[in-house]
Structure formats: C-alpha cells, structure tokens
C-alpha cells in the first residue's frame, strides 16, 4: 500500500511538473491569447453603447386599507384572492396597455435622419388604415408654418398648419415645428404598433416584490424596470406606463362603484313604493284599533322579527350580486343560500309564536315589522349609494407611485467585463496549451520523456549534426558526437551484461532499432551504433529490415538484393557483404510482394540463426513502428529493443502509442535513444525557469566535455 501511494505521489509530481513546463514552453502563446482577450474586452468597453437600468416602484394597497363602501355591506367577497399581485403584474403588461404606451409616445415612429427629431415634435400621429402591414414610409414637407404629408410615392395625403389637429379616414396628426423659410423634407418610418408589442413587452420587466403577509395578499410592491441607452426615453416609457396602469385601475374601481350604484337604484325604486304602502297600512290599522294594548312580549317579538327580516334582506342583496358573478354551484353562492335558509327557519319559529297571540296583535306585529325592516333597509341603501357616489367622484384607486422612474445603474459595458474577458482568454489559452502540449508539441529535451510518465531508460542523447547522412561525419573531429555514440554503446553493453534474454553473454546479440514515425533518424542511429561496435572489435551485421523504404545501401554505396540472392547467402560468401573490417551490411530486399510474410517465414528466421553463429551483434534497422506492422514482429525475435525519438520531430503521444503497440505483443522497449538534440535558443529562459536538474542533466551530461573530464579523473 505504501509503495502504491509513493507511485501515485510521484505520478502527481510528474504531471504537475509537466503542466508547468508546458505552460512555460508556450508562455508566449498564452500571453498572446490573454492579451488578445484583454484587447477585445477593452475594445468592447470603449466601443459599446452604454446601457442603463431605469426603474420605478409601485405600492399596491389592500382595499381594506382605504374607504370602500362595499365592505360594510360585505359585497366584496367576490373580489378577493383572484386580484393578487401576480394578476396585477400581468395586467400591467397587457396588450392594450402596451399598445397605448407605444401610440402615446410615438415609439413606432423613427426618423430616417435622427437630427430631424430635434426640431419636429409629433404630438399625434395615428395611421388608422385597417390593413396588416409591418411599416409605412411617410414624407413631411415643411415650409413656413404649414406642412404636407406625403406617402412613399410622394402622393399628398393631407395638409395642415403648425399645431393644428387634423383627422381624416386614414390619419390623425398634430405637429409642432419652427417656421422654415425654405422647404424642408423629412422622411419617417411608421411601424405597426401591434408589431412592436412583443418588443416592448419584453423590454418592460415587472417584478412582484411580494407581500409582507402571504402569497394571496392584495398588497405589496411592484418594481418596473427596463434597460436602454436613452435614459430620457426610458424614464418617459416607465412613467407613462405607470400612468396608464393606474388610470386603468381607477377606471375599473370607478366602474365597479357605478355598477353598484345602478344596482342600489333599482332596489330603492321598488323599496320606496313598498315603504310608503306599509306606512299607510300601519297608520290605518292604528286608527281602527286605538284600544289595542301592545305589551313587552309583543314588543320583543316585533324587534326580533325585524332584525331577522333585515338580515334576510341583506342576504338577498348578496345573493343577487353573487348571481351576476358566480355560477349556481359556486361555494360562496351556496353558502349564502344556506344562510338564508337558516334565517328563514328562525323566522318561521317566531311566526309560530306570533300565531299564538290575539289576532289584532298578530296583525299589528306584521304591519310594524314590515315597516321597520323596510325603513332600515331603505336607509342602509341610501347610505351605501351616497358612499358609492363619493367613491365614483373621488376614486384614486389602490395603487400609488412610490418612486418615479430613475436611473438605477449602469448595465453595460462595465470595467469588470474587461477582467472577465481577460481571465476567460487566459483559461482558454491554458486549455489550448495543455491540449497542444499533449498532442502537437514536439519534444525538445530528453527529460520531457520522464516528465510525461515514460519511465524507459534513456540510453543516449545524440547531438545535432549539420549533415548526418554523410559517411565523413564518423571520421570528423566532432568529439561530442563520438562521445554520445560511445556512451550509447556502453549503456547497451551494460544492459546486456545484466540481461537474462540471451543464454550466454558472449553469444550473438540481436538489437532492433525503430522509431514512431519516418524521418526520426533511426537508420542513422543504427548505422552509427553498428560502426561504433565494429570499431571496438565486434563483428557486426547491419540488417536493413525496412523493406519498403530502407536506404542503408545508399550510404555504403551498395545496391538492394533480390530474394534469390538472399536465399543463396551463406557464411562462405558473407565477405561479399563486408563494408569495413568488422562491419557487414545486408541491404533490403527489393520487389517483395508481402514483407510481413517474408519476415514471418522460416526461411528468414533460419537465415538469421545462421548469421548468429558468425556475428557478435546483429543490428536490425526497421520501418517506423506506427506505420508498418513488420517492426512489431521483428521485436518479438530480438534480444534488445531500442526506440529512437528525434528532437523537435516526435511527439509524446507518438512515443506512448509506440509503447502500447509493443506492449500488446508482450514485449517492451529496453531503452530510448534521443536523437539530434540541440539546446533550444530559449534554454536559459524556459529551462532555467524550470529549476529541474533532470533537464540540465540530459542537456549537459552527454554534450559537454566536463562530463568526460570528470569521468576520466
């Protein structure tokens, strides 16, 4: 468990280190993208039109908080929860209100030349033609104090004077403008107000700020706001929208009061006749029965029956009103019917007591009760009518403006947007850097291999040569190159001395060299190691197994061989393939139809076994492992597999893919040779910033004399 934990910890350190180096290696790109984001954000900030939030606050008061004559009659039960704040919000942005707003402020009229708006005031401009149109073009010809309205074809529609209201079948218009000595032509675009409804409906934001009591309350606050770049127009829109909404609310309240007065008037007309008739009947009865004795019991019965009659009449009023607003199965309507039935039951019980009284007293009770109830009801209705009349005359509704439209704040552009754009660009640059680093950036230092989790041993680092395709390079005085080859050979022999892949340390050792992709120098490395081994006394066979593009024969001024020549090779004739004292070259076979079949054949394997008797090393130069499947087959036969990676040519993911291919065959690379290394121009910039000893180790160990001088000491 502890070992696994250590491995995970090392892996995390490798990943973090790799990310850090990827960022530093691509720091110029990251800075450039971040700078572009900053410039883009700054440009937007400087060029974008400033927009502001215009806001207003309305207070909705509950009807119970203001004078309302319906409350004493309890006739407002049908007006309760349905008129909550959410409904008021919907009513505010109703189609009729928005269309009134557009027409009143001429929001559907735009001047083709905005400068014309400064001296022309449009009080009224209504196009009444009943057609489905999106917009109309009009021309106004102004001269002195008169104007002529023209259509898009310059046909005259009407003429008028400054400030004069003019109307015909199609147009209503009233304009104010200064006097012009010369003629001036103004072009305006008139859009259909209905077509603009959706635009201004979405512009106006009406928010229910809630109530202090409960969801269904009829009181609370409503915030109205919009975002615009023209603060004056924005304030005008909200203020007028508030006025239209409040005016509509007042009209509704007034209409309710008027309807209630009409209902009371119809009741009063009939009740007045009944009241006069009942007064006359009681008066006549008293004159005829002057000796009638009305005791306390009769008086109490009269008062009780009068009260019940009054309540029944009030319930009847409520039922009459409810029949207008509700269906017969509405719970409120059914509750009123139940109340009336209960009152009538009480009345019936009292009437039974009345029947037990003498006949004269019974008749007196009836007459007196009817009169008293009628008088009370009449007085109540007269009082209610007066109250409703006052309400109609002085209604102010239950909505008031707390705050007129004001500029609440700047919406955009804001300085914070510059920082947001810059941070977003930086994050994008980091993502691109990671993606590019994993899949597109080529390796520039051997230490990047381990940095990326590739733990294979680095056998050698070969320095850059100006012309590594010429034979003279091996005889040159390039000490660094020779030392790098010597170090690579030393590491190869060290691996073999500790290897269990061969039965005897002094037996023939088969080495396969390959690379992920073409042009990474694997043929050059194969040739160089073969020459180096031969120079220290080993018999070496360089076998060109890149059967499609192998070019080793050209370097040694040889020619490819055919299958017949390959089949006839024997140890007696092996000197025909010698290129120097201990180095032999077996060129690639030409005109092979199936290279994989050839390498898999017993004939090829037996021939290699024959060569093992004569040679100390067989160096097999193969095709790129990611391009040809032949390479994987050869690696299953070899004693040592070496992968070559070229500086600023190969990518980390290509090396990882090569490893995966070999691992699927049950083998692995025994080491990696890093080819064509040259210190980057930014070495002391990027790599010094890394502060990683491994980078300096690989960059300096194989390339500088100090290492060998120290080694010799």
């Amino acid at each position: 468990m502890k070992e696994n934990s250590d491995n995970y910890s090392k892996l995390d350190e490798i990943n973090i280190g790799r990310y850090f180096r990827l960022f530093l290696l691509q720091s110029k790109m990251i800075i450039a993208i971040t700078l572009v984001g900053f410039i883009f954000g700054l440009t937007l900030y400087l060029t974008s039109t400033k927009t502001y939030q215009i806001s207003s606050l309305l207070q909705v008061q509950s009807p119970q908080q203001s004078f309302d004559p319906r409350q004493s009659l309890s006739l407002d039960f049908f007006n309760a929860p349905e008129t909550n704040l959410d409904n008021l919000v919907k009513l505010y942005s109703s189609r009729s209100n928005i269309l009134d707003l557009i027409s009143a402020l001429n929001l559907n009229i735009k001047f083709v030349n905005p400068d014309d708006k400064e001296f022309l005031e449009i009080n009224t401009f209504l196009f009444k033609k009943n057609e489905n149109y999106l917009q109309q073009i009009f021309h106004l010809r102004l001269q002195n104090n008169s104007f002529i309205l023209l259509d898009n074809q310059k046909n005259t529609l009407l003429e008028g004077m400054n400030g004069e209201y003019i109307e015909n079948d199609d147009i209503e218009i009233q304009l104010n403008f200064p006097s012009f000595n010369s003629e001036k032509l103004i072009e305006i675009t008139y859009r259909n107000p209905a077509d603009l409804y959706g635009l201004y409906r979405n512009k106006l934001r009406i928010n229910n700020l809630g109530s202090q009591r409960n969801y269904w309350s009829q009181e609370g606050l409503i915030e109205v706001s919009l975002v615009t770049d023209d603060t004056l127009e924005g304030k005008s829109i909200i203020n007028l929208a508030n006025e239209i909404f409040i005016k509509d609310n007042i009209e509704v309240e007034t209409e309710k009061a008027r309807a209630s007065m009409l209902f009371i008037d119809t009741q009063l007309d009939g009740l007045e006749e009944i009241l006069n008739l009942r007064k006359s009947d009681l008066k006549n009865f008293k004159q005829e029965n002057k000796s009638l004795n009305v005791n306390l019991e009769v008086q109490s019965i009269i008062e009780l029956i009068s009260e019940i009659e009054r309540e029944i009449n009030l319930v009847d009023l409520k039922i009459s009103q409810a029949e207008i607003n509700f269906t017969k199965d509405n719970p409120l309507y059914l509750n009123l019917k139940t109340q009336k039935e209960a009152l009538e039951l009480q009345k019936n019980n009292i009437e039974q007591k009345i029947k037990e009284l003498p006949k004269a007293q019974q008749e007196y009770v009836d007459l007196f009760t009817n009169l008293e109830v009628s008088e009370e009801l009449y007085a109540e209705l007269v009082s209610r009518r007066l109250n409703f009349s006052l309400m109609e005359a002085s209604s102010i509704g239950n909505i008031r403006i707390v705050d007129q439209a004001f500029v609440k704040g700047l919406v955009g552009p804001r300085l914070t947007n510059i920082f947001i754009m810059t941070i977003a660009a930086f994050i994008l640059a980091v993502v691109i850097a990671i993606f590019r680093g994993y899949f597109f950036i080529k390796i520039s230092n051997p230490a990047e291999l381990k940095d990326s989790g590739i733990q294979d041993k680095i056998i050698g680092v070969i320095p850059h040569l100006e012309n590594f395709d010429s034979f003279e390079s091996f005889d040159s005085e390039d000490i660094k190159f020779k030392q790098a080859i010597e170090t690579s050979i030393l590491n190869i022999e060290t691996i073999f001395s500790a290897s269990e892949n061969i039965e005897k340390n002094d037996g023939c050792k088969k080495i396969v060299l390959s690379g992920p992709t073409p042009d990474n120098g694997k043929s050059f490395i194969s040739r160089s190691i073969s020459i180096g081994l031969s120079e220290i006394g080993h018999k070496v066979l360089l076998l060109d197994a890149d059967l499609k593009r192998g070019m080793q024969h050209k370097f040694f001024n040889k020619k490819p061989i055919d299958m017949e020549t390959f089949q006839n090779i024997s140890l007696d004739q092996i000197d025909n393939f010698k290129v120097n004292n201990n180095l032999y070259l077996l060129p690639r076979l030409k005109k092979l139809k199936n290279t994989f079949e050839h390498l898999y054949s017993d004939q090829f394997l037996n021939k290699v076994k024959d060569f093992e008797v004569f040679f100390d090393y067989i160096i097999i130069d193969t095709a790129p492992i990611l391009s040809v499947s032949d390479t994987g087959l050869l690696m299953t036969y070899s004693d040592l597999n070496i992968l070559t990676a070229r500086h600023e040519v190969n990518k980390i993911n290509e090396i990882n893919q090569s490893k995966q291919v070999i691992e699927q065959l049950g083998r692995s690379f025994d080491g990696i040779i890093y080819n064509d290394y040259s210190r980057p121009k930014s070495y002391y910039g990027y790599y010094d910033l890394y502060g990683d000893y491994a980078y300096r180790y690989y960059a300096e160990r194989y390339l500088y004399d100090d290492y060998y001088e120290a080694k010799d000491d």
Side-chain angles (χ1 to χ4, degrees):
M1 290 294 290
K2 183 177 180 181
E3 184 178 351
N4 291 337
S5 176
D6 292 341
N7 289 336
Y8 284 126
S9 177
K10 291 179 181 178
L11 186 60
D12 290 340
E13 291 178 3
I14 289 173
N15 289 335
I16 293 172
R18 186 184 181 192
Y19 290 147
F20 182 64
R21 293 181 180 99
L22 285 177
F23 298 157
L24 289 176
L25 284 170
Q26 302 177 83
S27 59
K28 291 181 180 178
M29 181 201 70
I30 293 175
I31 293 172
I33 294 177
T34 305
L35 183 61
V36 168
F38 172 78
I39 294 173
F40 182 71
L42 181 62
T43 302
L44 284 179
Y45 176 78
L46 295 176
T47 59
S48 297
T49 303
K50 290 186 177 182
T51 57
Y52 301 88
Q53 181 179 351
I54 311 299
S55 187
S56 176
L57 188 64
L58 305 178
Q59 181 184 26
V60 181
Q61 297 175 332
S62 177
Q64 286 83 356
Q65 294 179 354
S66 59
F67 168 74
D68 191 344
R70 292 171 296 186
Q71 299 308 313
S72 57
L73 274 174
S74 300
L75 297 178
D76 199 36
F77 58 85
F78 56 87
N79 203 31
E82 290 78 11
T83 55
N84 55 69
L85 287 177
D86 285 339
N87 284 345
L88 288 176
V89 167
K90 294 176 183 177
L91 289 173
Y92 191 103
S93 57
S94 65
R95 182 181 177 82
S96 59
N97 285 359
I98 298 298
L99 292 180
D100 289 344
L101 174 66
I102 293 171
S103 299
L105 291 177
N106 298 315
L107 298 175
N108 58 323
I109 298 176
K110 297 298 179 184
F111 290 85
V112 175
N113 182 6
D115 294 337
D116 293 337
K117 187 177 180 180
E118 296 180 3
F119 54 81
L120 180 62
E121 180 182 355
I122 300 177
N123 296 331
T124 303
F125 196 119
L126 179 61
F127 184 62
K128 300 184 293 185
K129 197 169 183 179
N130 188 19
E131 291 182 0
N132 292 325
Y133 64 93
L134 292 179
Q135 66 180 29
Q136 297 286 333
I137 303 297
F138 295 100
H139 299 272
L140 280 168
R141 183 175 294 159
L142 309 179
Q143 189 172 14
N144 297 325
N145 284 325
S146 63
F147 70 89
I148 301 175
L149 181 65
L150 310 171
D151 62 14
N152 197 30
Q153 285 75 38
K154 304 295 179 67
N155 299 318
T156 300
L157 298 176
L158 55 78
E159 299 180 11
M161 300 296 294
N162 183 10
E164 181 183 7
Y165 177 81
I166 304 174
E167 179 181 6
N168 61 20
D169 294 338
D170 295 332
I171 294 175
E172 296 179 21
I173 189 169
Q174 184 180 22
L175 306 175
N176 289 325
F177 53 88
S179 178
F180 292 95
N181 295 327
S182 59
E183 183 180 286
K184 182 171 182 60
L185 189 65
I186 296 176
E187 183 179 353
I188 62 174
T189 301
Y190 185 95
R191 291 189 64 182
N192 190 340
D195 184 52
L196 295 175
Y197 162 71
L199 173 65
Y200 284 96
R201 167 64 183 85
N202 295 329
K203 266 192 171 185
L204 281 171
R205 293 187 177 182
I206 303 97
N207 297 321
N208 177 3
L209 300 184
S211 168
Q212 298 178 351
R213 291 192 288 180
N214 56 63
Y215 177 79
W216 292 108
S217 176
Q218 293 174 262
E219 64 177 18
L221 298 175
I222 295 176
E223 182 184 44
V224 184
S225 63
L226 66 80
V227 175
T228 181
D229 58 342
D230 188 339
T231 56
L232 293 178
E233 183 182 74
K235 291 178 181 179
S236 300
I237 289 174
I238 289 185
N239 286 332
L240 184 58
N242 289 343
E243 291 178 14
I244 292 173
F245 178 58
I246 293 174
K247 179 181 177 183
D248 182 68
N249 177 260
I250 292 174
E251 288 178 354
V252 170
E253 294 295 322
T254 303
E255 187 61 32
K256 288 180 180 179
R258 190 177 295 115
S260 298
M261 288 170 57
L262 181 62
F263 171 75
I264 292 174
D265 286 342
T266 57
Q267 298 294 322
L268 284 174
D269 291 340
L271 188 57
E272 187 174 4
E273 295 180 5
I274 294 173
L275 181 60
N276 293 331
L277 181 60
R278 288 178 177 176
K279 285 181 178 179
S280 178
D281 291 343
L282 182 59
K283 181 179 179 181
N284 294 334
F285 178 81
K286 287 183 176 180
Q287 290 178 352
E288 294 174 359
N289 299 276
K290 294 181 179 179
S291 61
L292 179 64
N293 182 22
V294 180
N295 56 28
L296 292 176
E297 180 183 1
V298 173
Q299 190 65 35
S300 63
I301 291 174
I302 291 174
E303 292 176 357
L304 185 57
I305 196 67
S306 298
E307 178 64 24
I308 292 175
E309 284 287 353
R310 190 180 71 83
E311 292 182 5
I312 290 175
N313 287 330
L314 290 177
V315 171
D316 283 336
L317 287 174
K318 294 179 182 179
I319 292 174
S320 299
Q321 189 94 28
E323 287 176 346
I324 300 174
N325 297 281
F326 300 110
T327 60
K328 299 295 184 182
D329 56 352
N330 188 281
L332 294 174
Y333 177 80
L334 296 176
N335 183 47
L336 291 174
K337 297 289 287 185
T338 302
Q339 291 181 30
K340 183 177 179 181
E341 291 173 359
L343 291 171
E344 287 178 343
L345 181 60
Q346 294 180 29
K347 179 182 176 182
N348 292 335
N349 293 334
I350 296 173
E351 287 177 347
Q352 291 296 327
K353 292 182 179 181
I354 294 174
K355 289 179 180 180
E356 297 175 359
L357 297 174
K359 186 175 181 180
Q361 290 183 346
Q362 291 182 31
E363 188 174 354
Y364 175 80
V365 168
D366 290 338
L367 292 173
F368 188 86
T369 301
N370 291 337
L371 177 59
E372 189 176 52
V373 170
S374 298
E375 287 178 338
E376 290 180 359
L377 183 57
Y378 186 85
E380 181 72 21
L381 290 178
V382 170
S383 175
R384 294 310 105 197
R385 191 190 187 290
L386 177 61
N387 290 335
F388 277 117
S389 178
L390 291 173
M391 182 178 178
E392 179 188 17
S394 60
S395 178
I396 59 172
N398 63 331
I399 301 174
R400 75 180 185 93
I401 298 175
V402 178
D403 292 324
Q404 293 285 350
F406 65 98
V407 178
K408 190 172 184 179
L410 178 68
V411 174
R414 296 182 176 178
L415 281 173
T416 53
N417 293 341
I418 300 176
F419 297 103
I420 292 173
M421 291 294 297
T422 304
I423 293 172
F426 174 76
I427 294 173
L428 176 63
V430 168
V431 172
I432 292 174
I434 294 175
F435 183 80
R436 187 167 173 262
Y438 268 90
F439 298 102
F440 296 101
I441 286 185
K442 298 163 184 178
I443 53 178
S444 59
N445 192 289
E448 288 183 25
L449 300 174
K450 289 190 177 182
D451 209 24
S452 304
I454 299 172
Q455 301 300 319
D456 300 78
K457 181 179 179 180
I458 297 178
I459 295 175
V461 177
I462 310 301
H464 171 73
L465 295 176
E466 292 299 329
N467 187 5
F468 56 75
D469 286 329
S470 65
F471 185 79
E472 286 74 18
S473 296
F474 299 99
D475 295 331
S476 68
E477 298 298 326
D478 195 328
I479 303 301
K480 294 178 182 178
F481 170 74
K482 289 184 177 181
Q483 290 174 341
I485 294 297
E486 290 175 5
T487 303
S488 300
I489 292 173
L490 177 62
N491 286 331
I492 290 172
E493 291 182 333
T494 302
I495 293 173
F496 273 117
S497 65
S499 174
E500 299 178 357
N501 293 334
I502 55 176
E503 296 179 359
K504 298 180 181 179
N505 290 337
D506 57 351
C508 180
K509 304 173 182 65
K510 300 185 292 295
I511 303 174
V512 169
L513 286 96
S514 184
T517 58
D519 301 323
N520 75 335
K522 47 105 182 150
S523 297
F524 168 70
I525 299 299
S526 301
R527 207 164 49 239
S528 301
I529 291 177
S530 298
I531 294 173
L533 286 170
S534 68
E535 288 179 349
I536 59 176
H538 296 292
K539 286 186 177 181
V540 181
L541 173 63
L542 176 58
L543 195 159
D544 191 351
D546 188 350
L547 300 177
K548 293 184 178 179
R549 298 182 60 186
M551 294 295 177
Q552 294 287 8
H553 60 280
K554 288 187 176 182
F555 180 83
F556 293 103
N557 295 320
K558 301 292 183 178
K559 294 183 179 180
I561 61 175
D562 55 21
M563 179 59 73
E564 182 179 356
T565 303
F566 177 77
Q567 291 173 346
N568 294 327
I569 295 175
S570 65
L571 294 179
D572 296 336
Q573 303 171 342
I574 196 67
D575 285 342
N576 294 333
F577 297 94
K578 181 184 289 189
V579 293
N580 62 32
N581 292 334
N582 293 313
L583 180 61
Y584 297 77
L585 171 68
L586 185 61
R588 71 175 175 87
L589 275 67
K590 60 182 179 180
K591 298 181 180 179
L592 281 178
K593 294 182 179 179
N594 192 325
T595 58
F596 185 84
E597 184 178 342
H598 167 69
L599 296 175
Y600 192 70
S601 65
D602 292 336
Q603 186 180 29
F604 175 79
L605 297 176
N606 291 332
K607 190 67 67 176
V608 172
K609 287 183 180 180
D610 292 340
F611 294 150
E612 291 179 10
V613 177
F614 184 77
F615 293 103
D616 297 320
Y617 285 91
I618 298 177
I619 308 299
I620 304 174
D621 177 19
T622 67
I625 192 170
L626 297 179
S627 303
V628 181
S629 58
D630 301 354
T631 303
L633 179 62
L634 289 169
M635 286 186 174
T636 60
Y637 304 148
S638 67
D639 299 316
L640 191 70
N641 295 320
I642 297 175
L643 179 70
T644 60
R646 188 169 181 177
H647 179 77
E648 293 187 348
V649 171
N650 292 124
K651 304 165 189 170
I652 293 295
N653 65 316
E654 292 174 345
I655 297 173
N656 281 323
Q657 290 175 24
S658 302
K659 287 171 56 63
Q660 291 173 5
V661 170
I662 298 306
E663 288 170 358
Q664 289 174 357
L665 298 173
R667 294 297 301 271
S668 61
F669 289 108
D670 298 288
I672 297 175
I673 293 179
Y674 190 92
N675 183 32
D676 199 26
Y677 176 78
S678 61
R679 188 170 62 190
K681 295 178 181 179
S682 56
Y683 181 84
Y684 288 107
Y686 292 129
Y687 292 112
D688 282 4
L689 284 173
Y690 289 162
D692 192 331
Y693 172 75
Y695 274 68
R696 290 186 174 277
Y697 175 82
Y698 286 110
E700 297 175 356
R701 176 178 178 182
Y702 299 105
L703 301 182
Y704 297 99
D705 295 338
D706 294 343
Y707 168 75
Y708 293 96
E709 292 174 0
K711 182 178 178 183
D712 293 340
D713 292 341

